[in-house]
Amino acid sequence: LQVASPVPQGPNKWHEQFPIAKGQRQSPIDIVTSNAKVDKALSDNPLKVSYSNNCCQSVTNTGASFQVVVDGAGTEISGGPLDSTYKLVQFHAHWGPLGGDEGSEHTVDGVTYPAELHLVHWNQKYKDVGEAVDKPDGLAVIGVFFSRGKEHAGFKPISDLFAKVPRKADKVDISFNYDPACLLPARRDYWTYLGSLTTPPLFESVTWIVMKDPVEVSAEQLAALRNLLWETPSGEGQMCNNYRPPQPLQGRLVRST
Ligand SMILES: Cc1c(Cl)c([N+](=O)[O-])nn1CC(=O)Nc1ccc(S(N)(=O)=O)cc1
Ligand SMILES: [Zn+2]
């Protein structure tokens, strides 16, 4: 008897409803640094990140992560691996268990980080994110690894809001000015490759830009992620381990600055 399971099924079952889960350009991947190819073109046309500091509208509990919804006005990236301008639409994260070191989606030579932030942008050649989301050049996501260390002052205004959105669809407005660029590492070196959304519908529409340097956040800020709750097989629980493990590279090239 096939009963609809009330809680979302884990990554190893996604292929049943989303066959593309076994596709040719799935994400995340393990980045094998010795196989990444330095591409001078990436530095010749540097990645340009120009975010405004009043673009963040609200924080929502999506039931799978927190999501800061952004008004795309003036929050653009271009250059580097991108052939056109992309606009920021939202950012969210993936993380592991309390105090653990796993939680990131991308790994670097097999090394995991406790969390990974994703800044999601859509290609301005399309009329909106809904049209862009399933096109091969539709999205660009900047991934930033979080390491455990000193408090990240820039992340604090956001991590302080998680306690206000404990349940799915809870939402709180962001009344203060906030520039998401503060979440990027100082050194802007990155790896880039063609991949996919890391959660259903797993569309193969993402140009990934994974920053090489992690940013430090405190153990308390990582713990604040668990103020977010979600449905587990044994009822409501702390949201954690919302990361997809690395997927087959399928011969793809990873380029590096
Ligand atoms: C399917 C769709 C449409 Cl259409 C819209 N929309 O706003 O029109 N939004 N979404 C959802 C979406 O964006 N999912 C998404 C999933 C994973 C990631 S991740 N971890 O960064 O790979 C980024 C985004
Ligand atoms: Zn993500």
Side-chain angles (χ1 to χ4, degrees):
L1 173 69
Q2 276 292 337
V3 292
S5 64
V7 294
Q9 298 193 316
N12 57 2
K13 292 241 190 225
W14 287 346
H15 68 92
E16 292 169 5
Q17 273 191 301
F18 305 94
I20 201 167
K22 294 181 182 291
Q24 296 304 305
R25 58 173 277 193
Q26 288 291 293
S27 292
I29 60 168
D30 176 43
I31 296 166
V32 180
T33 55
S34 57
N35 292 346
K37 189 165 175 17
V38 173
D39 184 348
K40 219 172 74 53
L42 296 174
S43 311
D44 289 351
N45 175 19
L47 179 68
K48 186 168 179 291
V49 177
S50 44
Y51 292 158
S52 63
N53 75 346
N54 62 349
C55 63
C56 298
Q57 291 175 317
S58 62
V59 188
T60 300
N61 178 332
T62 65
S65 182
F66 72 86
Q67 187 167 114
V68 175
V69 173
V70 166
D71 161 19
T75 54
E76 300 180 341
I77 63 171
S78 60
L82 306 176
D83 291 338
S84 66
T85 300
Y86 288 67
K87 252 190 211 289
L88 181 64
V89 60
Q90 54 108 330
F91 61 92
H92 63 272
H94 306 262
W95 57 90
L98 195 54
D101 282 332
E102 66 273 20
S104 62
E105 299 210 298
H106 291 89
T107 56
V108 181
D109 296 330
V111 174
T112 61
Y113 288 90
E116 182 175 333
L117 180 83
H118 288 159
L119 295 142
V120 183
H121 310 76
W122 58 280
N123 192 330
Q124 289 306 284
K125 74 189 252 193
Y126 299 109
K127 70 178 183 323
D128 58 27
V129 59
E131 187 192 4
V133 75
D134 63 349
K135 306 298 185 294
D137 61 353
L139 301 180
V141 182
I142 296 179
V144 183
F145 294 121
F146 280 1
S147 63
R148 188 179 287 105
K150 63 183 186 312
E151 179 177 272
H152 192 302
F155 188 54
K156 189 162 187 327
I158 302 295
S159 56
D160 284 351
L161 295 179
F162 297 153
K164 297 185 181 351
V165 288
R167 288 175 184 77
K168 182 170 183 176
D170 285 351
K171 174 178 168 182
V172 67
D173 286 340
I174 292 180
S175 55
F176 47 87
N177 280 347
Y178 187 79
D179 178 355
C182 76
L183 298 172
L184 296 174
R187 191 169 77 106
R188 295 291 168 92
D189 283 286
Y190 57 84
W191 295 286
T192 183
Y193 76 98
L194 298 181
S196 74
L197 301 180
T198 65
T199 61
L202 299 168
F203 293 142
E204 296 186 329
S205 58
V206 181
T207 297
W208 276 97
I209 297 169
V210 180
M211 306 312 291
K212 289 189 176 181
D213 289 351
V215 297
E216 273 189 36
V217 298
S218 65
E220 291 73 18
Q221 287 179 303
L222 286 169
L225 288 162
R226 276 166 219 83
N227 289 330
L228 299 156
L229 307 178
W230 67 353
E231 276 310 300
T232 74
S234 50
E236 187 174 75
Q238 292 184 343
M239 191 185 285
C240 62
N241 302 318
N242 55 357
Y243 63 94
R244 188 189 195 190
Q247 301 302 306
L249 186 60
Q250 304 287 17
R252 282 172 284 176
L253 171 68
V254 177
R255 292 186 289 158
S256 164
T257 54

